[in-house]
């Protein structure tokens, strides 16, 4: 008896030792396939190890075996909530390496397509966040809005999710004739849904308690850990690639960069909400300003000519044959080009040896460094705070794991 | 000990061309490049510098990466507060793209992309590595965000980052054999099947 008491381990016998659990890889309250290895003290997170890679499908290896123009369908699947943004990023990087500039109308259409991608990404993210915090009704409002938006995207590129719309030196197709009118109809509906969504959540006590003052990070740390996009802007840093290094026609458009102050989850949520308004504003301006003209560069070497030209024009036929069989010969060199995707800076770093395929096609995924900082944001907080924090980082498996 | 060997072998190969290259490229280069090359003008630390296509690029001795990065981050005129990207390129069979690679007998290049929010400028820093000396110092002490990027580079290219706190595979699983983004890794190579771990 006495001997037993001597060896009595209080923590062990009363089961107060830290609890180690696996959360994921497939968990109903996280969108995306990711595993958290948690060490819990009661409900407090003592330690967390994030394990990614469940959606790794060798994007970079596949790119090295494809022709330059064959990479577009792969880029769609990076951030699959906003596929067209990845198309734009890749196309701009290749065009920078080649040294061609697309016609003005093409640039405007690319901006319209990118902002629709951003809208789609933000709708998905905010809706999923609401759902994972228990607000299924709010989720349905934004999914409806996204549905209308996808109909619109379908009208100009024929696909709803994986658009494959942008090409090197141009686009697959022009906007349909009645596009401005149908856009206005959709925006009217979506603005109403937006107001309802905001009313459902922004004064909801439960929602506020779970979002406010959770998952915060200081501006200094956020910069050090490579944050960008809405999560960095929520810390009060007005960094947006569209403003700092304007690409396409963003320098001709009037829009604002919403920023937060504390850097917590609620600020990130509000920044995204405001960005939805700004994106709609950008698209409306574009539809007013958009000039007529060609959508592709007038050079059969870079932009595949139309079937009519291929059948009637010798030069077009030669380039069509060579581009399909050998791939476009992008000049030797290396280039980095960044765009603002819905999660932050999406960069493409390409190395070419002058042949039809890249030597290296690197994607800088915006959610990857932010996921790596997740332990900093949640250590010491409650397990429940992990859910909104992870939502607002918006890890997209396709982009983070590539 | 190992660090010194990298530095020496690269020095002897590239030392002669070093200064000339910098001088040649100074004329058409930017403020950032000028600032960096001025700072390190007496050492043989910068192998090559250019700003082609508007991307400022410096190629540095891998042994000195910490010194360079510390200067870039904390210098008042540069203040590179963000490490945007870190990756590796395997130049096996493609050394002609960058002439200095064959001089140095380098196969890999670790590529860092830096950005300064205050000054709004970018810089690409590259460190060439030989196949047999595929290691470099970790910069996680300067930018915490480099942690996962370095793990990814180890995972896919097998570059060892000395001083990294937790250099494990990240995208692939521990039992994976080889480093798939190396050029000699065939796309059709099969990997051992493993069962559930626990």
């Amino acid at each position: 008896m006495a001997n037993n008491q001597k060896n009595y381990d209080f923590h062990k016998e009363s089961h107060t030792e830290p609890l180690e659990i696996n959360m994921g890889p497939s968990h109903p309250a996280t969108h995306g396939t990711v595993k958290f290895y948690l060490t819990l003290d009661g409900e407090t997170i003592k330690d967390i190890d994030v394990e990614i890679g469940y959606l790794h499908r060798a994007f970079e290896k596949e790119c090295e075996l494809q022709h330059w123009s064959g990479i577009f369908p792969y880029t769609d699947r990076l951030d699959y909530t906003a596929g067209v943004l990845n198309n734009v990023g890749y196309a701009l990087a290749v065009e920078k390496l080649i040294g061609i500039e697309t016609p003005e109308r093409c640039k405007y259409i690319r901006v319209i397509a990118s902002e629709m991608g951003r809208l789609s990404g933000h709708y998905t993210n905010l809706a999923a966040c609401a759902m994972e915090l228990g607000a299924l009704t709010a989720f349905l409002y934004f999914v409806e809005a996204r549905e209308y938006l996808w109909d619109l995207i379908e009208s100009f590129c024929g696909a709803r999710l994986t658009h494959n719309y942008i090409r090197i030196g141009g686009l697959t197709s022009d906007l349909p004739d009645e596009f401005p009118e149908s856009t206005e109809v959709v925006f009217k509906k979506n603005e109403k849904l937006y107001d309802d969504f905001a009313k459902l959540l922004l004064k909801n006590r439960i929602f506020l308690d779970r979002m406010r003052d959770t998952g915060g990070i200081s501006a200094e740390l956020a910069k050090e850990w490579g944050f960008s996009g809405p999560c960095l802007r929520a810390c009060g840093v007005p960094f947006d690639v569209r403003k700092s290094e304007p690409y396409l026609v963003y320098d001709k458009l009037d829009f604002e960069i919403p920023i937060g102050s504390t850097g917590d989850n609620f600020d990130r949520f509000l920044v995204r909400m405001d960005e939805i308004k700004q994106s709609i504003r950008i698209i409306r301006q574009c539809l007013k300003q958009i000039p007529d003209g060609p959508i592709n560069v007038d050079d059969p070497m870079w932009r595949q000519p139309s079937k009519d030209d291929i059948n009637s024009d010798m030069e077009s036929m030669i380039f069509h044959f060579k581009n399909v069989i050998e791939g476009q010969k992008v000049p030797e060199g290396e280039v980095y080009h960044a765009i603002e995707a819905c999660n932050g800076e999406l960069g493409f770093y390409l190395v070419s040896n002058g042949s039809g395929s890249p030597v290296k096609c690197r994607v800088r995924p915006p959610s990857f460094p932010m996921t790596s900082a997740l332990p900093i944001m949640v250590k010491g907080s409650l397990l429940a705070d992990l859910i909104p924090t992870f939502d607002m980082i918006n890890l997209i498996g396709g982009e983070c794991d590539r | 000990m190992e660090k010194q060997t990298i530095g020496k072998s690269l020095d002897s190969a590239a030392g002669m061309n070093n200064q000339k290259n910098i001088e040649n490229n100074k004329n058409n280069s930017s403020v950032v490049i000028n600032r960096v090359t001025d700072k390190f003008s007496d050492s043989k630390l910068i192998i090559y510098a250019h700003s082609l296509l508007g991307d400022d690029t410096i190629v540095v001795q891998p042994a000195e990466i910490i010194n360079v990065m510390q200067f870039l981050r904390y210098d008042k005129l540069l203040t590179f507060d963000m490490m945007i990207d870190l990756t590796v390129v395997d130049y096996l069979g493609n050394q002609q793209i960058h002439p200095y690679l064959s001089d140095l007998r380098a196969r890999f290049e670790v590529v860092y992309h830096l950005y300064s929010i205050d000054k709004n400028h970018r810089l690409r820093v590259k460190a060439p590595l030989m196949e047999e000396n595929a290691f470099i110092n970790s910069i996680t002490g300067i930018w915490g965000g480099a942690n996962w990027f370095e793990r990814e580079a180890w995972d896919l290219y097998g570059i060892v980052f000395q001083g990294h706190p937790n250099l494990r595979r990240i995208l692939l699983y521990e039992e994976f054999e080889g480093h798939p983004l190396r050029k000699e890794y065939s796309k059709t190579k099969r990997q051992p099947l493993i069962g559930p771990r626990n």
Side-chain angles (χ1 to χ4, degrees), chain B residues 3-4 6-7 10 60-67 136-137:
Chain B
K3 256 192 286 175
Q4 281 177 348
I6 317 175
L10 293 188
V60 301
Q61 297 284 357
E64 298 291 335
I65 193 75
I66 297 279
N67 285 343
I136 189 165
N137 281 327

Side-chain angles (χ1 to χ4, degrees), chain A residues 22-266:
Chain A
N22 282 316
M23 183 173 166
S26 192
H27 189 276
T30 61
H31 61 272
T33 314
V34 63
K35 189 169 101 178
F36 306 113
Y37 182 68
L38 293 156
T39 309
L40 297 176
D41 178 15
E43 274 196 75
T44 312
I45 298 173
K46 282 279 171 217
D47 199 10
I48 174 171
D49 186 25
V50 188
E51 208 172 277
I52 61 164
Y54 289 92
L55 246 61
H56 181 62
R57 56 209 185 282
F59 171 80
E60 288 178 33
K61 191 77 180 173
E62 287 289 348
C63 288
E64 288 168 14
L65 304 164
Q66 295 293 330
H67 290 160
W68 290 93
S69 54
I71 293 172
F72 282 102
Y74 288 101
T75 60
D76 273 329
R77 283 133 182 101
L78 288 171
D79 181 351
Y80 38 73
T81 60
V84 75
L85 269 165
N86 309 312
N87 284 181
V88 172
Y90 173 71
L92 286 174
V94 180
E95 283 160 15
K96 186 175 171 188
L97 186 54
I98 300 171
I100 50 172
E101 198 158 328
T102 49
E104 201 69 3
R105 184 175 175 81
C106 172
K107 288 184 188 170
Y108 273 98
I109 297 179
R110 282 181 180 185
V111 170
I112 292 171
S114 330
E115 291 308 318
M116 290 206 168
R118 195 183 319 282
L119 281 174
S120 156
H122 282 351
Y123 282 146
T124 316
N125 175 235
L126 298 177
C129 170
M131 180 185 68
E132 280 149 21
L133 298 182
L136 185 68
T137 320
F139 169 78
L140 295 173
Y141 278 79
F142 260 7
V143 166
E144 190 184 342
R146 191 180 71 169
E147 209 57 30
Y148 295 139
L149 191 78
W150 280 2
D151 286 344
L152 211 52
I153 293 175
E154 194 184 0
S155 75
F156 65 81
C157 74
R160 292 157 68 79
L161 193 64
T162 50
H163 312 99
N164 193 11
Y165 177 53
I166 314 289
R167 290 286 180 276
I168 299 169
L171 307 164
T172 48
S173 55
D174 205 338
L175 297 176
D177 290 338
E178 71 290 357
F179 188 74
E181 292 78 34
S182 48
T183 310
E184 204 42 53
V185 173
V186 168
F187 282 177
K188 283 265 152 52
K189 283 190 219 165
N190 281 7
E191 274 165 353
K192 191 166 178 313
L193 288 164
Y194 178 95
D195 291 340
D196 290 343
F197 183 84
K199 272 184 221 158
L200 277 170
L201 291 177
L202 297 184
K203 287 179 184 166
N204 182 325
R205 177 69 196 278
I206 301 169
F207 185 75
L208 288 182
D209 282 353
R210 290 200 63 183
M211 296 293 276
R212 244 188 223 159
D213 301 327
T214 56
I217 192 165
S218 71
E220 275 313 303
L221 264 179
K223 282 189 222 170
E224 190 196 320
W225 281 82
F227 277 48
S228 53
C231 289
L232 181 61
R233 290 195 281 274
C235 305
V237 182
F239 167 54
D240 189 314
V241 185
R242 292 175 292 174
K243 285 281 188 197
S244 63
E245 294 150 287
Y247 53 94
L248 295 172
V249 288
Y250 280 110
D251 47 346
K252 294 180 193 163
L253 301 166
D254 179 26
F255 63 102
E256 281 155 24
I257 301 299
I259 58 167
S261 52
T262 53
D264 63 358
N265 286 328
F266 195 54

Side-chain angles (χ1 to χ4, degrees), chain B residues 29-151:
Chain B
S29 62
S30 70
V31 183
V32 180
I33 297 269
N34 286 340
R35 172 77 184 147
V36 182
T37 45
D38 284 349
K39 159 79 184 171
F40 296 111
S41 58
D42 11 316
S43 61
K44 286 171 181 167
L45 201 146
I46 296 182
I47 300 166
Y48 193 73
H50 70 73
S51 42
L52 291 176
L53 297 169
D55 291 358
D56 296 338
T57 306
I58 55 170
V59 183
V60 301
Q61 297 284 357
E64 298 291 335
I65 193 75
I66 297 279
N67 285 343
V68 177
M69 290 301 187
Q70 231 145 19
F71 170 71
L72 292 174
R73 170 144 195 205
Y74 296 110
D75 184 61
K76 285 274 185 309
L77 293 173
L78 297 176
T79 61
F80 283 104
D81 42 10
M82 278 176 82
M83 202 221 61
I84 290 283
D85 190 23
L86 187 161
T87 188
V88 181
V89 186
D90 183 358
Y91 282 103
L92 183 70
N94 287 308
Q95 266 108 339
Q96 81 283 359
I97 298 174
H98 303 303
Y100 55 83
L101 284 176
S102 37
D103 295 346
L104 303 172
R105 291 181 291 115
R107 171 177 170 185
F108 297 106
E109 213 168 42
V110 184
V111 185
Y112 306 83
H113 284 96
L114 309 180
Y115 178 67
S116 163
I117 290 188
D118 297 338
K119 302 282 191 286
N120 190 19
H121 52 215
R122 287 176 190 274
L123 179 66
R124 180 187 303 140
V125 182
K126 303 200 291 179
L129 294 178
M130 287 192 290
E131 187 177 357
E132 52 276 24
N133 287 337
F135 42 78
I136 189 165
N137 281 327
S138 165
I139 56 159
T140 42
I142 306 174
W143 291 280
N147 189 320
W148 275 23
F149 285 107
E150 289 183 350
R151 277 177 68 186

